Amino acid sequence: MNGDLESIVLTEEQIGQKVKEAAAWLDARFNGEYPLAISVLKGSVMFFCDLVRAMKTPVQIDFMTVSSYGSGSKTTGVPKIVMDLAASVEGRDVILVEDIVDSGNTLVRMRDLILGRGAKSFTVVALMDKPSRRVVDVKADYACYEIGDEFIVGYGLDYAQKYRTLPYIGILKREIYE
Ligand code: PRP
């Protein structure tokens, strides 16, 4: 385990199992369709790549970079679109893939944007869910794992852009970010 972590929340194997279950849920929901799967960069990139490869349903993939945390550990509350989608979402079944739903601000911003552009449906799959931190009333349609208010990193999740490439998710030691 990385020395900056105090404990592991999900091992690589446990993440693999969660990914399989989420993929099966999506396959059941989109059987026979051709949805557009969107990765909200950068945090969701690892989960997204594993998830779309675990699905049997063919999907179109696209990417959007949204950022609200900058280099610190506190949200600015205003998610900024740093890079927009290449594809049109008009008339499409959109699957939004998130690494974590925290305050919910990013999700609301994405939902309003995508439905505002005329998507046919909007489905959110999140790897991690922190319901205790929510400031807006929104939730993922499918969340793989619910966690309390711990500072977690790894498998896409960062602190000051670090730890994203760890293959597991763990709790960061307090002394690292305080
Ligand atoms: C993180 C995470 C989600 C968002 C969730 O992104 O990847 O997109 O915050 O937080 P919220 O529910 O409070 O909006 P961040 O802005 O840190 O950018 P990153 O994906 O590049 O890490």
Side-chain angles (χ1 to χ4, degrees):
M1 174 176 84
N2 182 293
D4 291 352
L5 302 186
E6 64 177 48
S7 61
I8 301 278
V9 172
L10 288 177
T11 64
E12 204 173 341
E13 291 71 29
Q14 288 169 326
I15 291 171
Q17 186 55 36
K18 299 280 180 205
V19 167
K20 264 194 211 159
E21 289 164 14
W25 185 85
L26 284 168
D27 280 333
R29 192 171 176 118
F30 293 103
N31 182 25
E33 308 291 333
Y34 179 54
L36 173 64
I38 297 174
S39 167
V40 184
L41 296 174
K42 300 190 278 282
S44 81
V45 66
M46 313 294 175
F47 178 48
F48 182 81
C49 293
D50 288 342
L51 183 65
V52 293
R53 287 182 301 168
M55 287 175 69
K56 293 192 179 74
T57 311
V59 295
Q60 183 181 346
I61 61 171
D62 207 348
F63 304 89
M64 192 167 201
T65 307
V66 185
S67 180
S68 55
Y69 285 78
S71 58
S73 60
K74 296 267 178 334
T75 177
T76 58
V78 188
K80 218 174 81 191
I81 309 290
V82 179
M83 184 190 76
D84 206 339
L85 298 167
S88 165
V89 299
E90 203 181 338
R92 301 295 305 272
D93 290 309
V94 169
I95 301 168
L96 193 83
V97 181
E98 267 288 19
D99 51 324
I100 187 163
V101 183
D102 195 309
S103 70
N105 285 323
T106 305
L107 197 48
V108 167
R109 177 93 169 87
M110 294 298 290
R111 183 192 62 195
D112 292 351
L113 189 92
I114 286 165
L115 290 175
R117 287 179 183 176
K120 183 173 143 205
S121 69
F122 181 72
T123 301
V124 179
V125 175
L127 177 62
M128 308 297 281
D129 186 16
K130 263 192 194 178
S132 64
R133 297 254 307 173
R134 212 74 94 240
V135 300
V136 281
D137 185 21
V138 70
K139 71 196 266 269
D141 297 280
Y142 186 100
C144 297
Y145 194 82
E146 198 174 292
I147 187 159
D149 196 8
E150 278 91 21
F151 201 112
I152 49 171
V153 294
Y155 194 63
L157 291 151
D158 74 309
Y159 170 60
Q161 302 302 328
K162 285 166 77 182
Y163 313 108
R164 290 195 201 272
T165 55
L166 296 175
Y168 46 82
I169 294 175
I171 299 178
L172 194 61
K173 285 180 180 162
R174 235 166 223 287
E175 70 224 45
I176 306 290
Y177 60 91
E178 277 187 349

